[in-house]
């Protein structure tokens, strides 16, 4: 009787582990997002807003651009490398300060199909000096809002009438909306509640 009870317990444990790990043996459980991933729980950890280079005024984003500052892959299994230009202002500098030459997994927890953006709170202390009123946005543009929310707009949107700090833009937007939407759909049911994952690599010093 004791052996039968032990066998039943082993079978139940095996079934439980199979349920936790899912049916697909080819896909590994990603585990929790790494601690060095930009995370809203650590929004007050490190980072300053005085990283702007000499001679560049905060908010002067139209003329001063760090070309190909960041490389991005969209989706946890994304293969295409998207190049991002960053504006040479203090908000962008603070964000770049957290990145490295190694790809970091960046989770976004807000996907808004109607408004055409994905968003996440990011680390750092930011002033609002670089904010500007923006009526319309273009696909591929990145904006920092008060409270540290970073948004990537993956669609052209008219009449958004936002107040935010422009921090960068994707240099190529062909297929961007589709890539974000596909990543969102493929990530439904993520165990960490992430809407869309991005892999981000800093490519400039």
């Amino acid at each position: 009787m004791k052996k039968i009870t032990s066998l039943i317990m082993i079978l139940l444990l095996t079934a439980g582990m199979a349920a936790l790990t899912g049916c697909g043996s080819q896909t590994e459980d990603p585990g929790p997002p790494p601690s060095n991933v930009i995370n809203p729980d650590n929004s007050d950890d490190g980072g300053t807003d005085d990283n702007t280079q000499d001679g560049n005024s905060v908010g002067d984003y139209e003329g001063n651009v760090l070309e190909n500052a960041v490389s991005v892959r969209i989706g946890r299994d994304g293969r295409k490398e998207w190049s991002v230009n960053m504006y040479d202002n203090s908000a962008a500098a603070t964000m770049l300060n957290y990145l490295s030459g190694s790809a970091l997994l960046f989770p976004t927890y807000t996907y808004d199909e109607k408004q055409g953006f994905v968003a996440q709170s990011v680390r750092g202390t930011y002033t609002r000096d670089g904010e500007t009123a923006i009526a319309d946005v273009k696909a591929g543009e990145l904006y920092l809002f008060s409270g540290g929310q970073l948004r990537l707009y993956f669609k052209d949107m008219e009449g958004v009438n936002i107040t935010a700090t422009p921090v960068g833009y994707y240099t190529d937007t062909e297929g961007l909306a589709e890539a974000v939407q596909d990543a969102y759909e493929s990530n439904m049911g993520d165990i960490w509640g992430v809407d869309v994952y991005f892999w981000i690599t800093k490519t400039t010093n």
Side-chain angles (χ1 to χ4, degrees):
M1 185 68 180
K2 200 170 184 180
K3 289 183 178 179
I4 293 172
T5 304
S6 298
L7 181 60
I8 290 171
M9 289 297 295
I10 290 169
L11 289 172
L12 286 172
L13 284 171
T14 304
M17 289 300 292
L20 285 172
T21 55
C23 299
S25 59
Q26 296 179 348
T27 303
E28 289 186 15
D29 184 337
S35 60
N36 59 352
V37 172
I38 299 172
N39 189 305
D41 294 337
N42 298 318
S43 59
D44 60 349
D45 177 27
T48 62
D49 50 25
D50 56 2
N51 291 330
T52 189
Q53 296 180 12
D54 293 341
N56 295 319
S57 61
V58 173
D60 185 16
Y61 59 90
E62 292 184 344
N64 301 311
V65 174
L66 302 172
E67 294 186 357
N68 305 317
V70 173
S71 175
V72 177
R73 283 182 282 136
I74 300 171
R76 205 167 57 208
D77 301 318
R79 293 289 180 266
K80 178 175 178 177
E81 295 284 348
W82 303 78
S83 182
V84 176
N85 288 351
M86 300 291 284
Y87 294 118
D88 200 357
N89 59 31
S90 67
T94 298
M95 292 179 195
L96 289 170
N97 217 28
Y98 285 102
L99 301 178
S100 71
S102 299
L104 294 179
L105 188 62
F106 180 85
T108 57
Y109 292 93
T110 302
Y111 172 89
D112 193 318
E113 171 71 22
K114 186 176 180 182
Q115 297 297 317
F117 68 81
V118 289
Q120 169 65 344
S121 296
V122 293
R123 288 181 182 180
T125 303
Y126 303 93
T127 70
R128 301 180 67 178
D129 296 343
E131 282 189 335
T132 185
I134 300 159
D136 308 322
V137 296
K138 297 291 184 183
E141 292 181 339
L142 292 159
Y143 292 97
L144 180 69
F145 287 72
S146 60
Q149 185 190 65
L150 178 66
R151 289 186 187 179
L152 162 64
Y153 283 88
F154 56 88
K155 293 181 180 179
D156 291 347
M157 300 295 298
E158 295 183 354
V160 294
N161 298 318
I162 60 174
T163 300
T165 303
V167 292
Y169 57 91
Y170 280 55
T171 60
D172 175 20
T173 59
E174 184 176 354
L176 180 63
E178 292 79 7
V180 173
Q181 290 164 335
D182 289 347
Y184 171 73
E185 290 172 6
S186 68
N187 208 54
M188 286 181 174
D190 179 81
I191 59 173
W192 301 106
V194 176
D195 284 332
V196 181
Y197 283 104
F198 294 81
W199 288 98
I200 304 177
T201 307
K202 182 166 68 172
T203 55
T204 187
N205 294 327

